[in-house]
Amino acid sequence: MAHVEVDFERCEGHGLCEQAAPEIYRLDDDGELELILEDIPQELRTRAEAGARVCPVAAIRITG
């Protein structure tokens, strides 16, 4: 199973990850990133990776 790691200090709340994979990433009302899923089932790995790829500050990493 894959795992999402976020550098919350680096995250600027652009929301591109949420657009790419709303079942995994969500911005709260203050524009702070929340992870809906930290452990990613295999069927969502591609979407999690897409969210990580579009992050303009490279704050998201998928491991495992």
Side-chain angles (χ1 to χ4, degrees):
M1 184 174 288
H3 184 76
V4 179
E5 295 179 1
V6 178
D7 182 342
F8 288 99
E9 290 184 24
R10 180 178 274 197
C11 178
E12 295 178 351
H14 293 277
L16 298 176
C17 58
E18 181 181 35
Q19 291 175 13
E23 60 277 277
I24 300 167
Y25 310 102
R26 171 178 52 215
L27 294 183
D28 67 14
D29 292 338
D30 295 322
E32 300 291 324
L33 179 62
E34 296 179 334
L35 290 176
I36 298 168
L37 295 173
E38 288 184 38
D39 293 318
I40 306 300
Q42 189 61 34
E43 63 269 13
L44 292 178
R45 184 181 180 115
T46 301
R47 297 197 39 99
E49 290 171 343
R53 261 193 320 277
V54 297
C55 180
V57 295
I60 303 170
R61 191 172 88 152
I62 310 300
T63 62

